[in-house]
């Protein structure tokens, strides 16, 4: 039987919950916006917060409202506590931005679809930036991709928390297909060798850049 509170996060008051509908790379459709607005009004949701990961959190609902809200939204759950890929964050890229060199939105969407549901040692956040200005915050994400004229740079081990860490450069000047394949190898290596709840920043510090590169066939 499906858990009626799947995707719900108990709040500090121990009575109300928050949910995070999935919005890949921050993209929402008009239908989703109308559904979100209708739910907020119908169930008198007290707080709607746009997160740093380009997602929309609904906060302060009672337990019995959660299944009804998910049914009305007709949106997938954006995982926020499980040990898996939480989200892919992306800048506008060359679709709209005058500085964009690569298709960060399209690539970010592709990566989220590819790795959604993959079991991992800890939560993983991916940042995709369409140019070296790095508006997708790629260098402080667990895995990051940065678009340049010469191709994609792949980095790993970034963290923007209380112990800030800039991600290590794994490889540069990659095609989109090469970058995607490398991300898969990195995710698999991390899944096989990471300790439970060990984020990639601590993983990189523990095993070292050379070991990671060797583990994914680069050295």
């Amino acid at each position: 039987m499906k858990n009626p509170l799947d995707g719900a996060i108990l709040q500090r008051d121990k009575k109300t919950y928050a949910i995070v509908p999935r919005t890949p790379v921050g993209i929402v459709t008009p239908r989703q916006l109308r559904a979100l607005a209708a739910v907020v009004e119908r169930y008198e949701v007290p707080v709607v917060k746009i997160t740093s990961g380009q997602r929309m959190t609904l906060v302060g609902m009672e337990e019995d409202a959660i299944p009804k809200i998910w049914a009305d939204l007709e949106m997938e759950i954006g995982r926020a506590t499980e040990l898996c890929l939480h989200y892919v964050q992306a800048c506008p890229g060359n679709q709209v931005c005058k500085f964009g060199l690569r298709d960060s939105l399209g690539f970010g969407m592709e990566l989220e679809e590819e790795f959604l549901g993959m079991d991992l040692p800890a939560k993983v956040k991916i940042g995709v930036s369409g140019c070296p200005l790095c508006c997708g915050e790629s260098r402080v994400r667990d895995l990051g991709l940065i678009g340049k004229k010469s191709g994609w740079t792949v980095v790993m081990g970034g963290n923007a928390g209380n112990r800030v860490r800039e991600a290590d450069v794994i490889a540069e000047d990659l095609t989109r297909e090469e970058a995607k394949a490398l991300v898969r190898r990195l995710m698999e290596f991390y899944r096989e060798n990471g300790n439970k709840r060990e984020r990639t920043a601590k993983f990189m510090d523990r095993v070292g850049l050379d070991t990671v590169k060797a583990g994914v066939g680069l050295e």
Side-chain angles (χ1 to χ4, degrees), residues 5 15-17 60-67 69:
L5 291 179
K15 295 186 296 183
T16 62
Y17 292 81
M61 296 83 70
E62 300 291 336
E63 180 177 329
D64 60 355
I66 300 301
I69 289 174

mmCIF file with all atom_site columns, all heavy atoms in Angstrom, residues 5 15-17 60-67 69:
data_model
loop_
_atom_site.group_PDB
_atom_site.id
_atom_site.type_symbol
_atom_site.label_atom_id
_atom_site.label_alt_id
_atom_site.label_comp_id
_atom_site.label_asym_id
_atom_site.label_entity_id
_atom_site.label_seq_id
_atom_site.pdbx_PDB_ins_code
_atom_site.Cartn_x
_atom_site.Cartn_y
_atom_site.Cartn_z
_atom_site.occupancy
_atom_site.B_iso_or_equiv
_atom_site.pdbx_formal_charge
_atom_site.auth_seq_id
_atom_site.auth_comp_id
_atom_site.auth_asym_id
_atom_site.auth_atom_id
_atom_site.pdbx_PDB_model_num
ATOM 1   N N   . LEU A 1 5  ? 1.811  9.590  3.223  1.00 0.00 ? 5  LEU A N   1
ATOM 2   C CA  . LEU A 1 5  ? 2.660  10.738 3.548  1.00 0.00 ? 5  LEU A CA  1
ATOM 3   C C   . LEU A 1 5  ? 3.967  10.724 2.761  1.00 0.00 ? 5  LEU A C   1
ATOM 4   O O   . LEU A 1 5  ? 4.921  11.407 3.138  1.00 0.00 ? 5  LEU A O   1
ATOM 5   C CB  . LEU A 1 5  ? 2.941  10.774 5.053  1.00 0.00 ? 5  LEU A CB  1
ATOM 6   C CG  . LEU A 1 5  ? 1.737  11.103 5.947  1.00 0.00 ? 5  LEU A CG  1
ATOM 7   C CD1 . LEU A 1 5  ? 2.149  11.083 7.405  1.00 0.00 ? 5  LEU A CD1 1
ATOM 8   C CD2 . LEU A 1 5  ? 1.126  12.448 5.576  1.00 0.00 ? 5  LEU A CD2 1
ATOM 9   N N   . LYS A 1 15 ? 3.642  18.764 13.970 1.00 0.00 ? 15 LYS A N   1
ATOM 10  C CA  . LYS A 1 15 ? 2.234  18.588 13.623 1.00 0.00 ? 15 LYS A CA  1
ATOM 11  C C   . LYS A 1 15 ? 1.968  18.828 12.142 1.00 0.00 ? 15 LYS A C   1
ATOM 12  O O   . LYS A 1 15 ? 1.098  18.180 11.565 1.00 0.00 ? 15 LYS A O   1
ATOM 13  C CB  . LYS A 1 15 ? 1.355  19.538 14.448 1.00 0.00 ? 15 LYS A CB  1
ATOM 14  C CG  . LYS A 1 15 ? 1.358  19.281 15.944 1.00 0.00 ? 15 LYS A CG  1
ATOM 15  C CD  . LYS A 1 15 ? 0.352  20.163 16.659 1.00 0.00 ? 15 LYS A CD  1
ATOM 16  C CE  . LYS A 1 15 ? 0.728  21.641 16.519 1.00 0.00 ? 15 LYS A CE  1
ATOM 17  N NZ  . LYS A 1 15 ? -0.213 22.520 17.273 1.00 0.00 ? 15 LYS A NZ  1
ATOM 18  N N   . THR A 1 16 ? 2.674  19.758 11.550 1.00 0.00 ? 16 THR A N   1
ATOM 19  C CA  . THR A 1 16 ? 2.427  20.108 10.154 1.00 0.00 ? 16 THR A CA  1
ATOM 20  C C   . THR A 1 16 ? 3.556  19.609 9.260  1.00 0.00 ? 16 THR A C   1
ATOM 21  O O   . THR A 1 16 ? 4.646  19.249 9.733  1.00 0.00 ? 16 THR A O   1
ATOM 22  C CB  . THR A 1 16 ? 2.265  21.627 9.979  1.00 0.00 ? 16 THR A CB  1
ATOM 23  O OG1 . THR A 1 16 ? 3.488  22.275 10.379 1.00 0.00 ? 16 THR A OG1 1
ATOM 24  C CG2 . THR A 1 16 ? 1.112  22.137 10.822 1.00 0.00 ? 16 THR A CG2 1
ATOM 25  N N   . TYR A 1 17 ? 3.287  19.639 7.955  1.00 0.00 ? 17 TYR A N   1
ATOM 26  C CA  . TYR A 1 17 ? 4.207  19.055 6.987  1.00 0.00 ? 17 TYR A CA  1
ATOM 27  C C   . TYR A 1 17 ? 4.507  20.031 5.845  1.00 0.00 ? 17 TYR A C   1
ATOM 28  O O   . TYR A 1 17 ? 3.752  20.983 5.597  1.00 0.00 ? 17 TYR A O   1
ATOM 29  C CB  . TYR A 1 17 ? 3.607  17.782 6.386  1.00 0.00 ? 17 TYR A CB  1
ATOM 30  C CG  . TYR A 1 17 ? 3.492  16.644 7.374  1.00 0.00 ? 17 TYR A CG  1
ATOM 31  C CD1 . TYR A 1 17 ? 2.421  16.588 8.269  1.00 0.00 ? 17 TYR A CD1 1
ATOM 32  C CD2 . TYR A 1 17 ? 4.450  15.634 7.417  1.00 0.00 ? 17 TYR A CD2 1
ATOM 33  C CE1 . TYR A 1 17 ? 2.313  15.552 9.180  1.00 0.00 ? 17 TYR A CE1 1
ATOM 34  C CE2 . TYR A 1 17 ? 4.339  14.592 8.335  1.00 0.00 ? 17 TYR A CE2 1
ATOM 35  C CZ  . TYR A 1 17 ? 3.275  14.555 9.209  1.00 0.00 ? 17 TYR A CZ  1
ATOM 36  O OH  . TYR A 1 17 ? 3.172  13.534 10.103 1.00 0.00 ? 17 TYR A OH  1
ATOM 37  N N   . GLY A 1 60 ? 3.358  23.829 5.963  1.00 0.00 ? 60 GLY A N   1
ATOM 38  C CA  . GLY A 1 60 ? 2.393  24.103 7.019  1.00 0.00 ? 60 GLY A CA  1
ATOM 39  C C   . GLY A 1 60 ? 1.067  23.387 6.883  1.00 0.00 ? 60 GLY A C   1
ATOM 40  O O   . GLY A 1 60 ? 0.077  23.796 7.497  1.00 0.00 ? 60 GLY A O   1
ATOM 41  N N   . MET A 1 61 ? 1.022  22.280 6.124  1.00 0.00 ? 61 MET A N   1
ATOM 42  C CA  . MET A 1 61 ? -0.238 21.556 5.947  1.00 0.00 ? 61 MET A CA  1
ATOM 43  C C   . MET A 1 61 ? -0.421 20.486 7.015  1.00 0.00 ? 61 MET A C   1
ATOM 44  O O   . MET A 1 61 ? 0.541  19.905 7.481  1.00 0.00 ? 61 MET A O   1
ATOM 45  C CB  . MET A 1 61 ? -0.285 20.894 4.563  1.00 0.00 ? 61 MET A CB  1
ATOM 46  C CG  . MET A 1 61 ? -0.286 21.894 3.409  1.00 0.00 ? 61 MET A CG  1
ATOM 47  S SD  . MET A 1 61 ? 1.373  22.446 2.991  1.00 0.00 ? 61 MET A SD  1
ATOM 48  C CE  . MET A 1 61 ? 2.056  20.980 2.259  1.00 0.00 ? 61 MET A CE  1
ATOM 49  N N   . GLU A 1 62 ? -1.691 20.215 7.354  1.00 0.00 ? 62 GLU A N   1
ATOM 50  C CA  . GLU A 1 62 ? -2.012 19.142 8.270  1.00 0.00 ? 62 GLU A CA  1
ATOM 51  C C   . GLU A 1 62 ? -1.864 17.796 7.559  1.00 0.00 ? 62 GLU A C   1
ATOM 52  O O   . GLU A 1 62 ? -1.943 17.700 6.334  1.00 0.00 ? 62 GLU A O   1
ATOM 53  C CB  . GLU A 1 62 ? -3.434 19.288 8.803  1.00 0.00 ? 62 GLU A CB  1
ATOM 54  C CG  . GLU A 1 62 ? -3.701 20.581 9.569  1.00 0.00 ? 62 GLU A CG  1
ATOM 55  C CD  . GLU A 1 62 ? -2.975 20.631 10.904 1.00 0.00 ? 62 GLU A CD  1
ATOM 56  O OE1 . GLU A 1 62 ? -2.665 19.538 11.445 1.00 0.00 ? 62 GLU A OE1 1
ATOM 57  O OE2 . GLU A 1 62 ? -2.728 21.735 11.412 1.00 0.00 ? 62 GLU A OE2 1
ATOM 58  N N   . GLU A 1 63 ? -1.677 16.745 8.350  1.00 0.00 ? 63 GLU A N   1
ATOM 59  C CA  . GLU A 1 63 ? -1.419 15.411 7.800  1.00 0.00 ? 63 GLU A CA  1
ATOM 60  C C   . GLU A 1 63 ? -2.502 14.936 6.839  1.00 0.00 ? 63 GLU A C   1
ATOM 61  O O   . GLU A 1 63 ? -2.200 14.414 5.760  1.00 0.00 ? 63 GLU A O   1
ATOM 62  C CB  . GLU A 1 63 ? -1.274 14.412 8.954  1.00 0.00 ? 63 GLU A CB  1
ATOM 63  C CG  . GLU A 1 63 ? -1.006 12.991 8.518  1.00 0.00 ? 63 GLU A CG  1
ATOM 64  C CD  . GLU A 1 63 ? -0.791 12.057 9.699  1.00 0.00 ? 63 GLU A CD  1
ATOM 65  O OE1 . GLU A 1 63 ? -0.268 12.515 10.744 1.00 0.00 ? 63 GLU A OE1 1
ATOM 66  O OE2 . GLU A 1 63 ? -1.132 10.873 9.573  1.00 0.00 ? 63 GLU A OE2 1
ATOM 67  N N   . ASP A 1 64 ? -3.753 15.133 7.200  1.00 0.00 ? 64 ASP A N   1
ATOM 68  C CA  . ASP A 1 64 ? -4.825 14.593 6.366  1.00 0.00 ? 64 ASP A CA  1
ATOM 69  C C   . ASP A 1 64 ? -4.966 15.302 5.026  1.00 0.00 ? 64 ASP A C   1
ATOM 70  O O   . ASP A 1 64 ? -5.630 14.802 4.111  1.00 0.00 ? 64 ASP A O   1
ATOM 71  C CB  . ASP A 1 64 ? -6.153 14.617 7.118  1.00 0.00 ? 64 ASP A CB  1
ATOM 72  C CG  . ASP A 1 64 ? -6.578 16.027 7.536  1.00 0.00 ? 64 ASP A CG  1
ATOM 73  O OD1 . ASP A 1 64 ? -5.800 16.974 7.318  1.00 0.00 ? 64 ASP A OD1 1
ATOM 74  O OD2 . ASP A 1 64 ? -7.683 16.164 8.080  1.00 0.00 ? 64 ASP A OD2 1
ATOM 75  N N   . ALA A 1 65 ? -4.350 16.466 4.879  1.00 0.00 ? 65 ALA A N   1
ATOM 76  C CA  . ALA A 1 65 ? -4.448 17.209 3.623  1.00 0.00 ? 65 ALA A CA  1
ATOM 77  C C   . ALA A 1 65 ? -3.415 16.759 2.589  1.00 0.00 ? 65 ALA A C   1
ATOM 78  O O   . ALA A 1 65 ? -3.594 17.008 1.389  1.00 0.00 ? 65 ALA A O   1
ATOM 79  C CB  . ALA A 1 65 ? -4.284 18.704 3.892  1.00 0.00 ? 65 ALA A CB  1
ATOM 80  N N   . ILE A 1 66 ? -2.350 16.098 3.033  1.00 0.00 ? 66 ILE A N   1
ATOM 81  C CA  . ILE A 1 66 ? -1.230 15.786 2.131  1.00 0.00 ? 66 ILE A CA  1
ATOM 82  C C   . ILE A 1 66 ? -1.656 14.934 0.928  1.00 0.00 ? 66 ILE A C   1
ATOM 83  O O   . ILE A 1 66 ? -1.374 15.300 -0.224 1.00 0.00 ? 66 ILE A O   1
ATOM 84  C CB  . ILE A 1 66 ? -0.085 15.105 2.911  1.00 0.00 ? 66 ILE A CB  1
ATOM 85  C CG1 . ILE A 1 66 ? 0.436  16.016 4.021  1.00 0.00 ? 66 ILE A CG1 1
ATOM 86  C CG2 . ILE A 1 66 ? 1.048  14.738 1.951  1.00 0.00 ? 66 ILE A CG2 1
ATOM 87  C CD1 . ILE A 1 66 ? 0.978  17.345 3.560  1.00 0.00 ? 66 ILE A CD1 1
ATOM 88  N N   . PRO A 1 67 ? -2.327 13.793 1.120  1.00 0.00 ? 67 PRO A N   1
ATOM 89  C CA  . PRO A 1 67 ? -2.714 12.991 -0.056 1.00 0.00 ? 67 PRO A CA  1
ATOM 90  C C   . PRO A 1 67 ? -3.620 13.752 -1.022 1.00 0.00 ? 67 PRO A C   1
ATOM 91  O O   . PRO A 1 67 ? -3.502 13.604 -2.243 1.00 0.00 ? 67 PRO A O   1
ATOM 92  C CB  . PRO A 1 67 ? -3.441 11.792 0.561  1.00 0.00 ? 67 PRO A CB  1
ATOM 93  C CG  . PRO A 1 67 ? -2.969 11.726 1.975  1.00 0.00 ? 67 PRO A CG  1
ATOM 94  C CD  . PRO A 1 67 ? -2.740 13.143 2.378  1.00 0.00 ? 67 PRO A CD  1
ATOM 95  N N   . ILE A 1 69 ? -3.676 17.001 -1.529 1.00 0.00 ? 69 ILE A N   1
ATOM 96  C CA  . ILE A 1 69 ? -2.881 18.015 -2.227 1.00 0.00 ? 69 ILE A CA  1
ATOM 97  C C   . ILE A 1 69 ? -2.097 17.391 -3.370 1.00 0.00 ? 69 ILE A C   1
ATOM 98  O O   . ILE A 1 69 ? -2.075 17.920 -4.497 1.00 0.00 ? 69 ILE A O   1
ATOM 99  C CB  . ILE A 1 69 ? -1.950 18.739 -1.236 1.00 0.00 ? 69 ILE A CB  1
ATOM 100 C CG1 . ILE A 1 69 ? -2.777 19.645 -0.316 1.00 0.00 ? 69 ILE A CG1 1
ATOM 101 C CG2 . ILE A 1 69 ? -0.894 19.555 -1.972 1.00 0.00 ? 69 ILE A CG2 1
ATOM 102 C CD1 . ILE A 1 69 ? -1.979 20.289 0.798  1.00 0.00 ? 69 ILE A CD1 1
#
